[in-house]
């Protein structure tokens, strides 16, 4: 018999997509059980709940699985719509704006991933591309989305876009140290810089942040694997 209102999140600590779901659950004060997955030895339950992609995150609510972070996020917002705060604006146009910019921000993860796979000029170009897109977020997005007096795009609490930015670049200081290059420059993108650092200092974000040493170890392992793969040759 399935326990009523039981929520289980299958994830992996380093995944920004998992972290997005985890933050949404915590912000809306939804009790859940977290199951850490080992990619080298995936659980039978994960393969059963996500037989198509066989990856995390997977949210299981009352025995029913929901896969892919965007779908999970919207499911959380719709099912627990009485749990404050709302993670998306009520107005359809504003919702569409937030979704657009959240998708744009999420694409920065692809740029960071590319910088893990490359060296020299190619790596510098990948980082530069991320910085150029952050400038677009600064000038075309945040200037209209951030309300004066509110710390976050969602107001006084994190919302969809805030969480998206936090999960992609919340570890930017570690990434800068790892790559030996600046990514988020205050003088170039002061609004993004201030917003991002407010996100990092959020109590829930700080509580769930992985230790720097753990992140650095993973980055070295992942980069070594990328550079040693035949595709990098």
């Amino acid at each position: 018999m399935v326990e009523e209102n039981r929520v289980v999140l299958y994830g992996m600590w380093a995944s920004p997509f998992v972290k997005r779901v985890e933050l949404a659950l915590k912000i809306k004060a939804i009790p859940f059980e977290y199951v850490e997955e080992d990619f080298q030895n995936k659980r039978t339950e994960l393969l059963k709940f996500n037989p198509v992609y066989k990856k995390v995150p997977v949210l299981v609510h009352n025995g029913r699985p929901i896969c892919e972070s965007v779908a999970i996020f919207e499911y959380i917002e719709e099912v627990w719509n009485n749990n404050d705060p709302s993670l998306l604006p009520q107005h359809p146009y504003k919702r569409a704006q937030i979704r657009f910019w959240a998708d744009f921000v999420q694409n920065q993860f692809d740029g960071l991933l590319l910088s893990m796979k490359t060296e020299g000029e190619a790596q510098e170009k990948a980082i530069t591309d991320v910085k150029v897109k952050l400038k677009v977020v600064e000038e075309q997005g945040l200037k209209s989305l951030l309300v004066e007096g509110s710390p976050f795009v969602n107001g006084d609490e994190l919302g969809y876009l805030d969480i998206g930015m936090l999960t992609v670049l919340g570890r930017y200081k570690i990434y800068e140290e790892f790559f030996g290059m600046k990514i988020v420059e205050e003088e170039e993108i002061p609004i993004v810089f201030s917003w991002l650092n407010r996100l990092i200092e959020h109590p829930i974000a700080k509580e769930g942040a992985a230790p720097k040493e753990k992140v650095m170890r993973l980055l070295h392992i992942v980069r070594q694997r990328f550079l040693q793969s035949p595709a990098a040759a």
Side-chain angles (χ1 to χ4, degrees), residues 16-148:
F17 306 102
V18 171
K19 183 58 70 174
R20 176 192 292 183
V21 175
E22 184 182 339
L23 286 168
L25 291 168
K26 288 182 177 180
I27 288 165
K28 290 185 80 72
I30 301 166
F32 69 99
E33 175 188 346
Y34 178 76
V35 179
E36 177 75 9
E37 275 298 326
D38 178 358
F39 284 176
Q40 304 302 317
N41 186 24
K42 295 179 181 179
R43 297 172 189 269
T44 304
E45 294 96 322
L46 176 67
L47 302 179
K48 178 182 75 172
F49 289 136
N50 192 357
V52 176
Y53 293 116
K54 301 179 176 64
K55 64 179 183 179
V56 294
V58 175
L59 186 79
V60 182
H61 181 211
N62 295 337
R64 296 180 298 183
I66 305 96
C67 306
E68 296 297 289
S69 62
V70 173
I72 296 171
F73 200 105
E74 301 224 352
Y75 179 85
I76 290 170
E77 182 72 346
E78 291 172 8
V79 172
W80 288 277
N81 56 5
N82 291 324
N83 289 46
D84 290 329
S86 175
L87 302 175
L88 281 161
Q90 296 303 311
H91 194 283
Y93 177 71
K94 290 183 178 179
R95 277 190 173 226
Q97 282 187 303
I98 293 297
R99 287 189 177 108
F100 172 84
W101 285 107
D103 183 65
F104 187 86
V105 164
Q106 191 61 57
N107 288 336
Q108 308 314 304
F109 181 69
D110 295 334
L112 291 172
L113 195 60
L114 180 59
S115 64
M116 292 287 291
K117 299 177 179 180
T118 53
E119 296 180 284
E121 291 184 7
Q123 185 186 58
E124 289 181 17
K125 183 181 184 303
I127 295 292
T128 299
D129 287 346
V130 171
K131 293 165 70 172
V132 168
K133 289 175 181 175
L134 286 175
K135 188 77 170 177
V136 174
V137 174
E138 171 100 1
E139 296 178 349
Q140 305 297 325
L142 282 190
K143 285 183 179 179
S144 61
L145 293 174
L146 268 176
V147 178
E148 187 175 353

Side-chain angles (χ1 to χ4, degrees), residues 141-155 161-162 191-192 194-196 198:
L142 282 190
K143 285 183 179 179
S144 61
L145 293 174
L146 268 176
V147 178
E148 187 175 353
S150 298
F152 312 118
V153 170
N154 200 48
L161 179 54
D162 301 297
I191 301 175
V192 167
S194 298
W195 173 49
L196 180 53
R198 287 195 299 272

